[in-house]
Amino acid sequence: MVNLKIAGTGRYLPEHALDNLHFVNLPVLHKYARDSNGQVKIAETYAGESKITLEAILKSTGGILTRRKSQDDEFACDLGYNAARIALDKSGISTKDLAVIIVATLPHARNIPSVACRIGEKLGVRIPISQDINYACAGFPAALN
């Protein structure tokens, strides 16, 4: 059995921030259904509203005020690399001491090579284990496990 430990953590957020006003008054995508008379009616709206409002955004997101958007040429491996550099700097260890790279992410445009492999390449390391965990919101606890 191999004993592994987390020696440092890092996070990186894209510079471009979008506040909720960016989304206000955007067209709402409705779900339609037929009523008992066969008439097509709106079956669901955005957070119970007929248009996107600040209140509807806060209600549906649990209070999120801003979110970050990457640039068109900035990908998951770039974000992960920046976070990894911060983690390595905080931990005081070298890339040669890495045993594994695990990335909790959603599947992105190219599955091969994995985001974890791309981050390893950007760090200049070749290690036997680099793996993406594609479990959406459950990815972080799954990666820790």
Side-chain angles (χ1 to χ4, degrees), residues 117-131:
C117 286
R118 288 193 187 136
I119 291 170
E121 179 182 47
K122 286 174 151 300
L123 289 171
V125 298
R126 290 182 181 255
I127 56 177
I129 303 170
S130 295
Q131 180 178 344

Side-chain angles (χ1 to χ4, degrees), residues 14-15 20 45 48 60-61 72 85 88 95 102 114 125 129 131 143:
E15 289 183 29
N20 289 338
T45 61
S60 68
T61 64
D72 290 342
R85 287 282 4 136
L88 286 167
T95 55
I102 299 172
S114 69
V125 298
I129 303 170
Q131 180 178 344

Side-chain angles (χ1 to χ4, degrees), residues 86-110:
I86 292 166
L88 286 167
D89 291 345
K90 285 169 62 174
S91 72
I93 66 169
S94 165
T95 55
K96 67 180 173 57
D97 297 321
L98 294 176
V100 62
I101 296 175
I102 299 172
V103 176
T105 185
L106 289 173
H108 75 92
R110 291 181 6 202

